[in-house]
Amino acid sequence: MRKLGFLPVLLVLSGCYNVDEGLYALDLSLDISIDPVFSDTGRLHLQAHHAWFGEAELRHPLGLIEAWEGGELSASHAVIEHTLLVPLGLGEGLAVFGFMDVDGDGVHCAVGQDGEPSGIVVTTELDGHSLALDLLLDSACLGPEALHPR
Amino acid sequence: MMFARVSVLGFALLLLCPPVSAAPSPQETHQRTASRRVFDGIGGGPPKGAWTVGVQGGYPWQTVRGLVGVGKRMAPIAELETALFRRWRPSLGLSMAWVDVPRFRLSGEVLLGWLIQTGAVKRLGPQGILRMRFSAPLGRIAPYLVLGTRHALLLDRRTVVSSSASVTTLEARHNWTGWATLGAAFAINDMLGLDVGMDWPWVDAPTISIPGFHLGIWIGGG
């Protein structure tokens, strides 16, 4: 019975935080390759998503975690290191999407520009705080929704 | 049949609203309006020993509010407000009438409470409220205006778990809500009254909020 005395205190304390956010630091090492049929010069754009997001009927592929720029590339192969803060308890797995912004307009493809390569890599193995992934950019103008294997 | 209905209605009104006698003096008028507890509810600062409890229901805000006069036009307030039963704010505070003349009352209120909003957009934290109430009793009717400013302190906790350590940081955010209510109170008798009003809150400013309306019933004594 004495233990129950802490219950009100626990309830009050648990109600004190407006947002109580838990983040899991993940050191990503991305080995990026670009299909030789595409230009290998341009600015690399990357997005990290939960592979799946939501529950039950509302479960769907992809839930954006972070988008960032991977810098200028001038070769068909590069290794990008990035620390990702993954929200705990919000989604399953990890998907990393990337595209090469060849014309430097900041967007993936446009009217008259259909040669910007993209690719996605999806994993469910998130044990530990470091993860190495191979990302091949070999599709023209396809977004993460189209590339997700489901 | 129609005559009978009108007679019953008239009799009921006579019971609820006692007839006014000869034209009162300004002093008597003041005493008369001051004795109507509904005006304390919407105007604030009831006299010592007087009490008022009111329930305001409407869309989207509902409020239960009580005041008891303990000093010279000073009264503790207890208030519970909800918006569609998803946003709650229990508060305690103090009301004080700064100006109380025959046709006008100005009071100020300070309240401290806790904001509890559930659902997709969660809000939790202490909230302080400063409020001014202007009312102008004219016989049984008192138009009133309420202007308020609400300040909530929202405390966020962020825990980053890395390979070397788990680091927790706390961040406090200020959340402001402006408030205006324009309405009118009607004293049925000294103990019982009604009020109707339009509410213009500004929740999570600068996001624009929808206006609301309410109907209130007040009882009091002392």
Side-chain angles (χ1 to χ4, degrees):
Chain A
M1 276 305 282
R2 283 183 64 192
K3 284 181 182 175
L4 290 178
F6 290 104
L7 194 60
V9 177
L10 191 68
L11 286 172
V12 168
L13 287 177
S14 65
C16 282
Y17 298 113
N18 182 62
V19 174
D20 197 359
E21 187 181 35
L23 299 167
Y24 188 81
L26 190 64
D27 295 322
L28 271 181
S29 177
L30 297 169
D31 194 324
I32 294 165
S33 306
I34 299 168
D35 191 310
V37 300
F38 296 102
S39 168
D40 60 6
T41 56
R43 195 158 190 86
L44 183 66
H45 289 253
L46 294 161
Q47 296 174 5
H49 296 256
H50 297 284
W52 288 90
F53 196 79
E55 293 175 359
E57 295 85 6
L58 299 177
R59 187 172 182 262
H60 59 83
L62 303 174
L64 184 65
I65 299 169
E66 186 186 346
W68 74 102
E69 286 192 16
E72 293 285 345
L73 292 192
S74 56
S76 61
H77 180 260
V79 175
I80 304 288
E81 309 280 347
H82 185 73
T83 299
L84 191 65
L85 298 177
V86 182
L88 290 168
L90 286 185
E92 305 158 39
L94 184 73
V96 178
F97 167 79
F99 74 87
M100 182 72 106
D101 181 16
V102 175
D103 61 1
D105 65 352
V107 295
H108 185 206
C109 296
V111 177
Q113 175 53 275
D114 55 3
E116 293 185 330
S118 61
I120 198 168
V121 56
V122 178
T123 182
T124 54
E125 294 168 15
L126 290 177
D127 292 336
H129 288 276
S130 60
L131 184 66
L133 294 171
D134 296 329
L135 178 60
L136 174 63
L137 309 187
D138 62 348
S139 303
C141 298
L142 291 180
E145 299 85 359
L147 292 169
H148 193 281
R150 290 183 172 76
Chain B
M1 189 65 180
M2 189 67 183
F3 177 75
R5 279 186 189 163
V6 171
S7 299
V8 169
L9 185 65
F11 185 67
L13 282 173
L14 275 174
L15 277 180
L16 289 169
C17 313
V20 178
S21 54
S25 68
Q27 185 78 13
E28 286 170 330
T29 301
H30 186 212
Q31 285 172 352
R32 192 78 198 116
T33 55
S35 70
R36 286 174 177 151
R37 298 283 78 92
V38 62
F39 298 156
D40 294 335
I42 56 95
K48 190 174 183 179
W51 61 272
T52 312
V53 176
V55 179
Q56 292 174 319
Y59 183 86
W61 302 90
Q62 294 85 37
T63 309
V64 180
R65 170 180 158 89
L67 302 92
V68 183
V70 294
K72 193 179 178 185
R73 287 290 180 182
M74 184 184 285
I77 316 167
E79 211 175 88
L80 176 66
E81 180 192 78
T82 176
L84 300 177
F85 305 102
R86 289 182 189 159
R87 180 185 174 107
W88 294 85
R89 182 185 51 79
S91 302
L92 291 173
L94 203 61
S95 167
M96 190 169 184
W98 295 326
V99 179
D100 187 26
V101 292
R103 297 277 186 226
F104 182 70
R105 190 187 294 185
L106 167 61
S107 72
E109 290 175 2
V110 57
L111 292 109
L112 282 174
W114 203 267
L115 179 65
I116 306 151
Q117 179 171 303
T118 56
V121 185
K122 196 174 154 188
R123 296 273 183 277
L124 277 175
Q127 189 175 52
I129 299 171
L130 293 171
R131 204 183 269 156
M132 284 199 300
R133 292 177 172 272
F134 305 84
S135 60
L138 300 164
R140 290 183 180 279
I141 292 177
Y144 71 94
L145 171 69
V146 181
L147 296 175
T149 177
R150 304 174 174 199
H151 302 267
L153 196 66
L154 307 177
L155 196 62
D156 298 338
R157 181 168 68 172
R158 192 182 206 224
T159 305
V160 177
V161 182
S162 67
S163 55
S164 55
S166 175
V167 179
T168 300
T169 52
L170 295 177
E171 186 187 339
R173 288 185 291 132
H174 173 244
N175 178 268
W176 180 71
T177 299
W179 194 281
T181 295
L182 184 64
F186 175 70
I188 295 169
N189 57 36
D190 285 354
M191 289 180 63
L192 189 63
L194 302 172
D195 94 279
V196 59
M198 287 287 294
D199 303 310
W200 284 279
W202 200 7
V203 180
D204 290 346
T207 307
I208 301 296
S209 307
I210 56 168
F213 68 93
H214 71 261
L215 292 168
I217 182 163
W218 297 86
I219 59 166

